[in-house]
Amino acid sequence: MAHSVRRDAPELPDFSLLKRLARDQLIYLLEQLPGRKDLFIEADLMSPLDRIANVTTLKQHDVDKLYKVEHKPIVSTSDQLCFLIRPRIKTVKWICDVVNADKAFGRFRRYKIIFSPQKFYACENLLEEQGIFGDVTTDEWSFYLLPLDDDIISLELPEFFRDYFLEGDQRWVRTAGSALHLLHSVYGPFSKVYGIGRCSKMAYESWREQVEEGEQRARQAEIGNVFLIDRDVDLVTPLCSQVVYEGLVDDIFRIKCGCVEFCPDVTSSDKSIKVMLNSQDKVFNEIRNEHFSQVFGFLSQKARNLQTAYDKRSGMDIKQMKTFVSEELKGLKQEHRLLSLHIGASESMMKKKTKQDFQELLKTEHSLLEGFEIRECISYIEEHINRQVSMVESMRLLCLLSLTENGLLPKDYRSLKAQFLQSYGIEHLLTFSNLKQLGLLVEQQPGETLTVMESRVGKLVNDKTAGKLTDAFSSLAKKSNFRALGRRLNLVPKSDEEYDLRVPRDMAYIFSGAYIPLSCKLIEQVLERDGWTGLEEVTRMLNGHEFAVTAGSNGSDARVKTDSQRIILVMFLGGCTFSEISALRFLGREKGLKFIVVTTAITNSARLLESMLDNHA
Amino acid sequence: MAFITANWNPLGEAFYRKIELYEMGWSLRDGLKECLVAAAPYGGPIALLRQPQRPSSSARPQLEIYSSSGANMASFPWKSGPVRQLGWTVCDDLLCIQEDGTVLIYDLFGAFKRHFSMGNEVVQNQVLEAKVFHSPYGTGVAIVTGASRFTLATNIDDLKLRRLPEVPGLQGAPSCWAVLTQDRQTKVLLANGADLYILDNTSCTPVTPPGLSPQACSIVNMAVSFSYKYLALFTDSGHLWMGSANLKDKLSEVDTKVRTPPKQMVWCRRPKSQQPSVVIMWDRLLLVAGECTDTIQYTLDEESVCVAELDGVRIVGGSRHELLQEVPSACQDIFKIASMAPGALLLEAHKEYEKSSQKADEYLREIKEQSVLGEAVRQCVEAAGYEHEPETQKTLLRAASFGKCFLSNYPPEPFVSMCRDLKVLNSVREYTVGIPLTHTQYKQMTVQVLIDRLVYRKLYPLAIEICRYLKTPEYQGVSRVLKHWACCKVQQKEEPDESIAHAVSVKLGEAAGISYSEIAARAYECGRTELAIKLLEFEPRSGEQVPLLLKMKRSQLALSKAIESGDTDLVYTVVTYLKNEMNRGDFFMTLRNQPVALSLYRQFCKHQEQDTLKDLFNQDDDHQELGNFYVKASYKEKKLEARLSLLQSAVDEYNKAKNEFAAKATEEEMKLLRFQRRLDEKGEALLGLSLQETLHALLTSNFHKQAEQLYRDFRVPDKRYWWLKLTALAEKDDWEEMEKFAKSKKSPIGYLPFVEVFCLCGAAEAAIERRSEGEISTVLSRCSPTTDRALLERLNRARSTAAKK
């Protein structure tokens, strides 16, 4: 292993408690509807639910059959129906249809809706409008947090990004606040809270409000510091191609809720295999944070070690053989199985990623990040669009270009957009409108490139005067100021030096040494400075809303560098990528800290951009 | 001390005592004559309805409310209909049951609260008799009507009237009746002559009490104990039968030798009673009868009323208020003449000690020899609780404290809590407060309820003092009292808003857990909207402010408060409210000024009301969004004409929004759609494809001319067209056309792609032919995503068949 772990690194808190809490509450809720019942589960709650309570547990509590919510008429014969859903209008509407259909049919059933993690007034209102409010009982399953791994907790709310940042819908903010409150009450009290972004600030306030309403108990804190960050503070990082093993697996095979399905290609058998990817998997745990180029070497070394372990058998007598079989063999077998899977996955990735065009793609990305040879990049993107390589990839490159260059020149903006529409269809006119609103793909205002800072200040003033609602939440992040930020924070290391990926010297290794993710750099800087002092210019470019609060009244605690002070909870509002998590793990190892990542969902470039599409289904 | 037993009267094994609680502070000219009286248990208030002196049509009866000590709390002429019965609820509200079945509810100070009716049937038949009763479900009312039918309401706060079945042979009112609560059911026990019936929801069952003496031909009175466990029946032969309320066991039967029907009969028991007894009252005589054959007789010199309590009977007369109860065994042990109980000895020892006599030591020695000092202390502490006179209490407590000195490990809690309890009890027994609670009642009722009662009586300072003294948690104690105080304060009509708001904020400022919104709600109920708004400003939780603001029709303020709170549910509540209250224009205008609310509402409209969304954009002149809206709508449209017209609308909107690019793109889309339709007629399913897809489809199905046309019309970049044609031709294996194409003019993409395509195809064909898995994989790995799909598929298929082998 290339990284040495500092021996004094603090222990992580035990997050399985969160699972137990959620399971107990779910069981309690299910028992509120006594007797046998069929359970309808929202599609994207299926995997999280599976991590909390498996089918056997559900069956033990009188759940007869399990169905996925498919927005179609149902076929259940049970007299009691239970719906476990997200508080979405569309799903509630479907339930209304189900109930009303039963009514028309003269069929009597009992219905219970369990909203997770909370119910919204709009949903209840809809039940009332549809005239079934009295026919159903509703409950809340406050399942806010799903621990995906020892240091990753997810809210599993992929719609958070679109709802908040694009639509300006703030209803999930309170959910984030409640999640934070839950963590605070179980693992707190937190002594310091840092944050940046409007949403972070609101989530923080919502949390404080809940803290004040509830009673406080003095207890030993397990988590000392919290850092909240909005996704739109750094949109560049999630749009870059991931090259760290875990991120790459996510980009290619899509990790769902900590679990990946390897296709027959990888498993070298007829069927796909679902594999849990977390620290329990010893092989994976050692390669997840590695740059992809290092993984193969490591795996082959591992294979050799394994062979040696197997070979031990040859010189054994019966007794030794017995202990070997009973103690070691199972572990070895397991390791063997995992190793072959990961080797398969790596091979499959190698095939895709070492090809000519992937190298070119990476080269273009790096040029964009460094700001070199922009013309070549644009023609590369053009060709990419013309050849219809991949819609999402084309869009990703376009957005990356716009973000790093502070918008596209009007001429390029038009021609690229026109070509994109020709390639992928007119419906992307709406997508472009969304991207523009979010500031992901914008047109340069003439004369703005050089005087970014000045116009920035002017723009802020204008924003205040012009009460246009769209400005209120969309223009905020329109300017990315990526170049200026990059210089200021030294995000892009000089490219002329050779970067040794085997011994990474900074977080840039997660992007082959080309770029230090802005989000992680901010966290590093703020923790180092114990606040935002000295970062004024940076926060101004990031549109402000930064804060640093010493929460507990017992300020004396901060002096004592207890273990809890070295555990930092980082909450990404709007999702974070595996690469960022890897970068934070690296930072933690360097500084003797432990980072716990709480995110509204694990994201990557494809998920981020797909959420911008207006599916007209 | 010798006097303590002076008012004790023996009844069998036990003693009974009658203590004077108060000399009544009221001045009633005729005592309680010609009065309807109701006194609430637990030392509650007393209500009197006095008939006018000279019955004339103009004179009205007077309703008066007094505390237990006779202090006037309210008094007003009765203006409603004739009243049959008065009664008190568990929360100290007065119930006045009228002849027509209407029940009016007043508070302690005579303010009208609300009314309800006991059913329509009653209006005609009139209420003959009524009873107010208490059960675990709350306060209930039972009536019997002129038609001899009973109607019950178990809880007046959750009114459900139950009409009980008919009683056979009953004419008019029964000779006597009572309400029972058994097995979580409320029943009526009634006597009609000698017959006894139990009426429940469904049936009327005749019952016979076991061992009722045969001389009786009619039951004239009955009484049910406080706990509904015991029943007493009085017959016209003068016999008193006592037994359990379920009529299974008989306790005793006593011949009172009085034949006249009694005026009132109540049980006089206490928890762990030695000698349960019944108090029977005639005009001039009060008789206590127990299990033994003896009775105690008191003469009454004035008209009185008995009030059953948990541990005795209170007798309210025109001038005096007394408590009749069995002497608790602790008191009996200590004070009984010549008692040698440990407590009695300890008391004696302490007395001698005070006199500085050495006898103290003798007594103490005696107790210690029997090693019952602990018991002695316990007895003294317990007895102190039962005594009413502070002096006696003190003597007993001092004795206890004296005895405690000689004990090493006696727990201090009982002593300390008894001292506290007594301090509280003495303060509420105070003449001006007038709540004569006994220690037993106090323990049963709990401090919380006592505080509530004090609050109902507006004795806020005392309530707060008690809370502080008992160290009740703020939330349940002081804050609660203050909230009630504030609610009362805002009702003071004469004071201006500012001063009230100020007074409230000053007093409540520091207290924890105060809900200003509740106070504001009260102010609003009293019609003081401005004051309510002022008070709401103090409310720290916006969530609490909003519902009231909406109620007060301050919707704008409510909306901004809701947004401030960050709780979207709250915002949405206000938005839905506004939507129903305002006309559309105003509604949209309001939303326009509140982006958070607007985006929330937009989200909702997107799912539920597409048309409203359009109106919303229209209102804002948001042409860009309108354009997007039309484009989106066009996808849902199946018919081409409608689709085109929607797109045309989109173009118009984009033009208005000065978004030339979008307008042009949309126009091109329309052009493309028309083009596709023309080709559709030739049997090509192209409708809805993108330009690139259309071109590709055309090229692969040999519509080269049309493709060329599109290429020119839409000014497709050369590079793109070349790429497209190249792959399309390769896909089709149309190598001749390819050659022509390659030679047509200089390639803008160079000739490398041509070579690539050729090589790949050639290699692929070769590999497939040879069915070698490895080779196919190699070819596949060289394929880029742009390689034509048909070839890829073939390769994959070939590989899987190869792999199977």
Side-chain angles (χ1 to χ4, degrees):
Chain A
M1 198 59 207
H3 313 291
S4 60
V5 180
R6 271 175 60 159
R7 222 173 291 139
D8 62 340
E11 283 288 306
L12 284 168
D14 174 23
F15 290 117
S16 62
L17 181 65
L18 293 173
K19 282 191 196 176
R20 279 212 301 284
L21 280 173
R23 180 171 56 231
D24 291 352
Q25 201 203 357
L26 179 65
I27 288 169
Y28 171 78
L29 289 175
L30 285 176
E31 281 173 356
Q32 297 297 296
L33 186 69
R36 305 203 67 75
K37 58 212 157 243
D38 282 359
L39 185 62
F40 289 79
I41 306 165
E42 184 113 49
D44 49 1
L45 265 174
M46 284 255 187
S47 318
L49 177 69
D50 198 41
R51 304 289 297 270
I52 295 298
N54 53 23
V55 179
T56 334
T57 322
L58 293 176
K59 297 249 160 172
Q60 271 166 10
H61 293 92
D62 277 347
V63 172
D64 219 4
K65 290 197 185 97
L66 292 161
Y67 296 95
K68 190 154 95 184
V69 169
E70 278 171 330
H71 303 281
K72 280 188 278 195
I74 58 162
V75 287
S76 164
T77 53
S78 177
D79 283 336
Q80 303 201 92
L81 305 182
C82 192
F83 300 91
L84 184 60
I85 59 167
R86 291 274 186 220
R88 291 179 188 134
I89 300 267
K90 191 181 169 203
T91 320
V92 177
K93 181 87 201 335
W94 169 74
I95 296 176
C96 290
D97 293 344
V98 168
V99 176
N100 281 327
D102 279 356
K103 270 189 184 170
F105 210 66
R107 168 146 206 186
F108 176 79
R109 293 202 237 226
R110 279 156 50 109
Y111 311 92
K112 181 184 192 70
I113 307 179
I114 302 174
F115 291 104
S116 173
Q118 66 186 111
K119 57 184 165 201
F120 288 129
Y121 178 70
C123 299
E124 288 187 307
N125 202 36
L126 184 63
L127 291 176
E128 208 177 318
E129 265 173 27
Q130 298 281 324
I132 62 156
F133 189 73
D135 301 310
V136 298
T137 50
T138 56
D139 254 312
E140 285 182 341
W141 180 31
S142 27
F143 169 45
Y144 291 105
L145 297 164
L146 175 71
L148 289 179
D149 205 339
D150 294 344
D151 58 351
I152 312 173
I153 305 174
S154 168
L155 272 72
E156 292 295 311
L157 288 174
E159 64 247 66
F160 190 102
F161 183 72
R162 186 183 165 115
D163 279 356
Y164 178 80
F165 294 103
L166 182 65
E167 316 270 6
D169 180 345
Q170 302 180 349
R171 58 197 176 141
W172 295 115
V173 176
R174 214 176 148 73
T175 313
S178 304
L180 204 53
H181 180 56
L182 177 63
L183 286 168
H184 173 81
S185 49
V186 180
Y187 304 104
F190 308 145
S191 44
K192 269 223 136 172
V193 183
Y194 312 96
I196 183 161
R198 226 166 90 90
C199 184
S200 296
K201 196 149 197 187
M202 290 199 298
Y204 167 75
E205 274 157 12
S206 162
W207 163 57
R208 284 310 310 172
E209 222 168 76
Q210 293 177 51
V211 168
E212 272 152 33
E213 273 172 33
E215 50 189 318
Q216 283 132 315
R217 277 169 300 140
R219 54 193 300 284
Q220 190 59 44
E222 289 182 74
I223 298 174
N225 299 321
V226 176
F227 194 102
L228 300 170
I229 183 166
D230 280 19
R231 184 68 273 174
D232 71 347
V233 165
D234 173 18
L235 286 168
V236 175
T237 309
L239 288 179
C240 295
S241 296
Q242 305 193 69
V243 284
V244 166
Y245 186 72
E246 191 169 10
L248 202 50
V249 171
D250 189 33
D251 268 0
I252 293 178
F253 302 103
R254 295 222 171 187
I255 301 176
K256 234 173 85 189
C257 204
C259 181
V260 73
E261 189 169 349
F262 282 131
C263 52
D265 234 16
V266 174
T267 57
S268 50
S269 64
D270 285 346
K271 52 182 190 294
S272 329
I273 296 180
K274 278 192 174 171
V275 187
M276 297 288 279
L277 292 182
N278 53 33
S279 51
Q280 303 295 308
D281 178 341
K282 283 204 197 78
V283 181
F284 177 69
N285 194 33
E286 286 181 71
I287 53 171
R288 66 198 304 188
N289 300 319
E290 293 295 313
H291 189 273
F292 184 67
S293 58
Q294 306 303 313
V295 170
F296 229 52
F298 172 81
L299 286 177
S300 56
Q301 176 61 42
K302 187 87 193 164
R304 273 196 297 279
N305 291 351
L306 205 60
Q307 191 55 51
T308 334
Y310 272 124
D311 288 346
K312 270 203 310 197
R313 283 177 302 181
S314 53
M316 284 180 187
D317 59 28
I318 301 262
K319 204 170 170 203
Q320 282 169 321
M321 188 67 98
K322 209 173 159 191
T323 42
F324 174 81
V325 170
S326 63
E327 281 161 22
E328 278 174 72
L329 193 59
K330 201 168 160 234
L332 288 174
K333 277 257 163 77
Q334 172 78 359
E335 212 163 315
H336 183 143
R337 197 181 68 88
L338 291 170
L339 193 60
S340 61
L341 269 179
H342 287 295
I343 290 175
S346 310
E347 267 175 351
S348 156
M349 283 190 270
M350 279 294 232
K351 267 183 220 153
K352 289 187 180 120
K353 292 299 176 188
T354 48
K355 270 191 320 202
Q356 191 72 24
D357 26 337
F358 184 65
Q359 294 299 343
E360 267 171 47
L361 186 76
L362 279 182
K363 205 178 129 234
T364 310
E365 262 179 43
H366 292 173
S367 308
L368 284 174
L369 290 167
E370 285 164 39
F372 288 149
E373 302 173 328
I374 296 303
R375 269 294 124 204
E376 277 79 355
C377 292
I378 291 177
S379 44
Y380 177 82
I381 297 171
E382 238 170 14
E383 196 184 313
H384 201 272
I385 295 171
N386 285 346
R387 296 176 64 173
Q388 282 182 301
V389 179
S390 146
M391 190 270 291
V392 174
E393 287 278 280
S394 305
M395 199 190 293
R396 183 171 73 83
L397 290 169
L398 277 178
C399 293
L400 214 49
L401 174 68
S402 163
L403 282 172
T404 50
E405 288 295 297
N406 247 346
L408 274 60
L409 291 171
K411 185 176 69 72
D412 295 335
Y413 185 62
R414 274 150 186 270
S415 91
L416 285 171
K417 255 165 66 171
Q419 296 190 42
F420 192 94
L421 291 182
Q422 288 185 353
S423 270
Y424 303 113
I426 177 80
E427 64 264 35
H428 293 292
L429 201 55
L430 300 179
T431 315
F432 282 129
S433 159
N434 289 342
L435 292 174
K436 185 177 167 193
Q437 197 168 352
L438 203 67
L440 275 171
L441 181 57
V442 292
E443 190 174 354
Q444 258 175 24
Q445 299 306 318
E448 215 185 11
T449 26
L450 290 173
T451 55
V452 176
M453 280 316 298
E454 285 88 333
S455 66
R456 180 80 233 139
V457 178
K459 185 98 173 86
L460 274 176
V461 176
N462 283 339
D463 278 356
K464 270 183 199 138
T465 45
K468 268 282 182 183
L469 58 109
T470 39
D471 289 358
F473 47 82
S474 63
S475 80
L476 294 173
K478 271 199 179 138
K479 296 291 154 303
S480 66
N481 294 318
F482 181 76
R483 290 272 169 271
L485 280 169
R487 270 195 302 277
R488 191 88 218 151
L489 292 170
N490 213 359
L491 296 180
V492 183
K494 290 204 179 61
S495 56
D496 43 0
E497 292 170 37
E498 195 59 38
Y499 197 100
D500 186 0
L501 289 169
R502 233 170 317 166
V503 193
R505 56 168 188 269
D506 53 26
M507 291 187 280
Y509 90 93
I510 63 159
F511 292 121
S512 318
Y515 163 61
I516 300 175
L518 171 60
S519 50
C520 304
K521 186 78 183 179
L522 273 177
I523 294 167
E524 182 203 69
Q525 289 292 313
V526 170
L527 289 178
E528 219 162 71
R529 292 159 198 260
D530 192 22
W532 294 94
T533 30
L535 293 172
E536 288 82 3
E537 202 179 326
V538 172
T539 57
R540 203 161 54 236
M541 282 191 274
L542 289 172
N543 228 328
H545 293 295
E546 79 280 5
F547 58 93
V549 197
T550 309
S553 52
N554 41 353
S556 58
D557 263 14
R559 278 187 294 114
V560 193
K561 272 277 172 192
T562 52
D563 271 1
S564 72
Q565 289 302 312
R566 288 188 288 131
I567 296 191
I568 293 126
L569 189 113
V570 181
M571 188 170 194
F572 285 89
L573 294 156
C576 79
T577 62
F578 279 118
S579 294
E580 284 170 305
I581 298 175
S582 294
L584 286 177
R585 284 183 186 135
F586 174 83
L587 185 64
R589 276 194 302 272
E590 293 284 298
K591 309 258 174 193
L593 304 169
K594 274 275 158 84
F595 286 95
I596 297 156
V597 176
V598 180
T599 173
T600 50
I602 296 286
T603 192
N604 61 21
S605 54
R607 291 196 193 102
L608 198 87
L609 291 173
E610 277 161 13
S611 74
M612 291 294 113
L613 305 182
D614 264 298
N615 51 337
H616 45 271
Chain B
M1 280 297 122
F3 301 117
I4 283 186
T5 51
N7 57 357
W8 288 20
N9 288 304
L11 184 74
E13 290 293 297
F15 288 91
Y16 272 76
R17 67 177 175 191
K18 200 163 78 160
I19 336 166
E20 182 173 302
L21 295 170
Y22 299 109
E23 207 158 306
M24 295 307 275
W26 58 31
S27 52
L28 303 176
R29 214 180 307 156
D30 292 333
L32 297 174
K33 255 182 218 142
E34 302 293 310
C35 276
L36 260 182
V37 184
Y42 292 100
I46 305 168
L48 303 180
L49 187 70
R50 297 169 64 189
Q51 295 306 324
Q53 307 278 290
R54 290 171 314 251
S56 70
S57 56
S58 63
R60 298 214 172 263
Q62 185 81 5
L63 183 74
E64 293 169 350
I65 299 174
Y66 294 97
S67 74
S68 285
S69 58
N72 190 304
M73 294 165 87
S75 159
F76 57 95
W78 183 254
K79 290 188 183 142
S80 309
V83 176
R84 273 276 171 245
Q85 181 77 35
L86 297 174
W88 290 96
T89 67
V90 278
C91 22
D92 277 355
D93 284 329
L94 179 63
L95 300 179
C96 306
I97 304 160
Q98 296 195 135
E99 236 172 47
D100 60 357
T102 316
V103 181
L104 296 103
I105 306 179
Y106 290 85
D107 74 4
L108 265 174
F109 296 94
F112 177 73
K113 284 177 95 170
R114 63 186 178 96
H115 73 91
F116 63 90
S117 165
M118 290 300 285
N120 293 329
E121 172 232 10
V122 193
V123 182
Q124 239 181 4
N125 294 326
Q126 305 264 302
V127 178
L128 288 185
E129 280 175 27
K131 282 191 194 328
V132 175
F133 60 93
H134 304 281
S135 69
Y137 309 109
T139 306
V141 172
I143 56 163
V144 53
T145 65
S148 305
R149 292 296 293 269
F150 285 87
T151 304
L152 270 183
T154 321
N155 180 7
I156 56 158
D157 292 323
D158 176 24
L159 196 67
K160 283 196 192 84
L161 293 178
R162 283 197 285 121
R163 201 154 166 245
L164 301 183
E166 213 167 338
V167 182
L170 181 64
Q171 297 284 315
S175 39
C176 58
W177 58 288
V179 183
L180 283 173
T181 305
Q182 278 177 343
D183 312 326
R184 293 191 289 171
Q185 223 193 348
T186 312
K187 300 170 182 174
V188 169
L189 180 70
L190 73 134
N192 185 19
D195 302 323
L196 208 54
Y197 298 97
I198 282 194
L199 261 182
D200 60 19
N201 286 352
T202 50
S203 61
C204 173
T205 330
V207 282
T208 34
L212 186 64
S213 71
Q215 302 101 303
C217 34
S218 153
I219 297 166
V220 293
N221 209 333
M222 63 171 72
V224 180
S225 72
F226 205 75
S227 58
Y228 294 106
K229 273 195 194 135
Y230 300 95
L231 174 72
L233 302 169
F234 193 87
T235 63
D236 56 352
S237 58
H239 282 82
L240 176 72
W241 179 93
M242 286 186 267
S244 63
N246 54 20
L247 292 166
K248 288 208 172 107
D249 307 296
K250 175 184 170 179
L251 285 174
S252 71
E253 194 163 15
V254 181
D255 185 4
T256 61
K257 307 200 175 62
V258 188
R259 294 289 175 116
T260 25
K263 260 177 68 190
Q264 212 185 345
M265 192 166 91
V266 285
W267 275 89
C268 179
R269 293 177 44 84
R270 66 176 312 122
K272 296 187 202 123
S273 232
Q274 291 174 299
Q275 175 82 279
S277 66
V278 175
V279 175
I280 313 167
M281 188 177 72
W282 285 272
D283 269 341
R284 292 277 157 207
L285 177 70
L286 194 71
L287 184 132
V288 185
E291 281 173 24
C292 59
T293 47
D294 300 335
T295 58
I296 307 171
Q297 300 198 359
Y298 297 100
T299 42
L300 282 178
D301 47 9
E302 56 182 356
E303 188 90 12
S304 297
V305 172
C306 294
V307 188
E309 289 282 5
L310 178 67
D311 55 349
V313 174
R314 279 186 298 131
I315 302 152
V316 183
S319 59
R320 270 194 312 281
H321 190 164
E322 292 168 313
L323 173 68
L324 175 65
Q325 63 170 181
E326 189 194 282
V327 177
S329 55
C331 298
Q332 204 180 319
D333 283 343
I334 291 178
F335 293 118
K336 206 162 73 180
I337 292 162
S339 167
M340 292 296 278
L345 291 175
L346 180 62
L347 188 65
E348 207 54 40
H350 180 245
K351 245 189 245 169
E352 294 301 332
Y353 169 75
E354 297 240 290
K355 280 191 250 165
S356 318
S357 152
Q358 84 280 11
K359 275 191 189 163
D361 184 51
E362 281 171 31
Y363 281 118
L364 213 53
R365 228 175 259 281
E366 195 175 334
I367 308 173
K368 278 183 132 176
E369 269 163 22
Q370 297 171 44
S371 49
V372 285
L373 188 54
E375 172 67 8
V377 173
R378 196 196 54 75
Q379 269 185 354
C380 283
V381 171
E382 198 191 334
Y386 295 128
E387 286 306 318
H388 208 72
E389 282 303 314
E391 271 317 308
T392 324
Q393 295 165 1
K394 279 185 198 161
T395 320
L396 287 164
L397 287 175
R398 279 200 198 103
S401 140
F402 173 68
K404 241 154 53 81
C405 300
F406 301 96
L407 285 168
S408 52
N409 52 359
Y410 187 81
E413 288 86 13
F415 180 78
V416 174
S417 70
M418 181 57 81
C419 289
R420 280 214 190 104
D421 290 350
L422 282 176
K423 189 156 184 177
V424 171
L425 280 177
N426 288 337
S427 68
V428 298
R429 283 175 192 160
E430 177 72 25
Y431 190 80
T432 46
V433 180
I435 303 180
L437 275 184
T438 65
H439 188 255
T440 321
Q441 290 165 14
Y442 169 67
K443 282 289 156 201
Q444 176 74 24
M445 146 186 220
T446 71
V447 191
Q448 306 308 342
V449 180
L450 178 63
I451 305 276
D452 279 342
R453 300 242 157 144
L454 292 173
V455 165
Y456 292 144
R457 286 167 198 227
K458 303 193 182 166
L459 297 167
Y460 304 111
L462 178 62
I464 290 182
E465 276 313 309
I466 291 181
C467 290
R468 294 215 173 113
Y469 178 67
L470 294 178
K471 298 195 176 68
T472 321
E474 284 240 313
Y475 190 73
Q476 300 169 359
V478 177
S479 296
R480 201 160 52 112
V481 178
L482 282 175
K483 191 194 84 191
H484 282 285
W485 167 79
C487 286
C488 176
K489 184 82 183 167
V490 296
Q491 292 173 31
Q492 292 174 352
K493 294 237 156 53
E494 59 280 3
E495 272 192 71
D497 292 345
E498 268 84 28
S499 66
I500 291 188
H502 181 72
V504 168
S505 71
V506 167
K507 268 254 162 62
L508 270 58
E510 297 299 304
I514 291 255
S515 162
Y516 279 94
S517 57
E518 274 180 55
I519 303 165
R522 181 59 64 86
Y524 174 65
E525 275 167 29
C526 306
R528 305 188 73 164
T529 314
E530 286 309 311
L531 176 60
I533 292 173
K534 280 204 175 69
L535 287 170
L536 273 185
E537 289 296 316
F538 295 118
E539 175 66 58
R541 293 164 295 170
S542 330
E544 301 287 314
Q545 299 172 325
V546 173
L548 188 61
L549 284 172
L550 278 186
K551 221 160 125 197
M552 298 194 295
K553 308 233 178 293
R554 301 294 160 114
S555 37
Q556 299 279 356
L557 193 56
L559 188 57
S560 40
K561 288 280 178 201
I563 290 168
E564 233 172 73
S565 80
D567 182 348
T568 45
D569 271 5
L570 216 51
V571 180
Y572 194 75
T573 317
V574 183
V575 169
T576 346
Y577 176 85
L578 292 181
K579 191 174 139 199
N580 298 332
E581 285 293 302
M582 291 177 156
N583 66 40
R584 234 166 199 221
D586 291 347
F587 175 54
F588 286 163
M589 276 312 278
T590 313
L591 284 187
R592 200 176 166 180
N593 297 327
Q594 299 285 6
V596 176
L598 180 61
S599 48
L600 204 66
Y601 186 62
R602 270 193 190 172
Q603 280 285 78
F604 174 74
C605 287
K606 254 179 211 168
H607 292 286
Q608 284 299 96
E609 295 170 19
Q610 291 281 348
D611 288 338
T612 320
L613 197 62
K614 197 170 89 187
D615 295 347
L616 211 55
F617 294 141
N618 248 328
Q619 164 92 14
D620 283 354
D621 290 332
D622 192 341
H623 299 294
Q624 173 68 31
E625 282 295 337
L626 269 173
N628 289 350
F629 175 81
Y630 285 123
V631 171
K632 210 178 282 181
S634 78
Y635 297 133
K636 297 208 179 92
E637 195 52 60
K638 289 275 177 301
K639 280 199 213 101
L640 187 67
E641 280 313 315
R643 201 160 163 182
L644 285 171
S645 82
L646 278 169
L647 286 174
Q648 185 55 51
S649 313
V651 171
D652 295 346
E653 294 299 338
Y654 284 136
N655 278 329
K656 279 187 208 153
K658 300 212 167 46
N659 187 342
E660 288 150 39
F661 176 80
K664 201 168 147 255
T666 317
E667 266 169 7
E668 285 198 346
E669 169 70 5
M670 289 166 69
K671 207 160 85 184
L672 182 65
L673 279 173
R674 293 206 182 94
F675 183 88
Q676 287 168 342
R677 181 174 53 176
R678 279 201 299 280
L679 277 172
D680 260 14
E681 284 151 13
K682 293 182 189 169
E684 290 289 312
L686 297 174
L687 210 57
L689 295 182
S690 75
L691 178 62
Q692 177 116 355
E693 286 160 344
T694 316
L695 275 171
H696 187 263
L698 288 175
L699 287 170
T700 40
S701 28
N702 278 332
F703 283 98
H704 291 288
K705 229 171 79 196
Q706 281 85 348
E708 287 286 324
Q709 192 194 336
L710 264 186
Y711 158 61
R712 276 192 305 276
D713 283 1
F714 287 89
R715 268 168 301 176
V716 178
D718 286 348
K719 276 189 187 174
R720 169 194 296 269
Y721 188 65
W722 277 72
W723 267 114
L724 249 174
K725 193 155 182 177
L726 178 63
T727 41
L729 292 177
E731 215 169 291
K732 239 173 24 141
D733 294 335
D734 194 346
W735 306 112
E736 273 174 44
E737 184 70 28
M738 179 89 82
E739 195 181 353
K740 260 198 273 170
F741 174 57
K743 286 176 183 164
S744 61
K745 60 178 177 181
K746 193 173 178 289
S747 161
I749 50 173
Y751 290 92
L752 193 64
F754 281 81
V755 181
E756 258 177 39
V757 167
F758 294 142
C759 291
L760 199 58
C761 285
E765 294 300 332
I768 291 169
E769 228 156 78
R770 272 194 285 174
R771 290 177 187 160
S772 143
E773 195 188 349
E775 275 178 41
I776 298 174
S777 297
T778 327
V779 176
L780 264 174
S781 69
R782 296 292 299 270
C783 289
S784 64
T786 44
T787 320
D788 69 75
R789 275 148 257 165
L791 182 63
L792 270 178
E793 254 166 52
R794 271 179 65 204
L795 278 166
N796 274 324
R797 229 178 303 124
R799 185 169 65 156
S800 51
T801 42
K804 268 178 203 149
K805 284 170 191 169

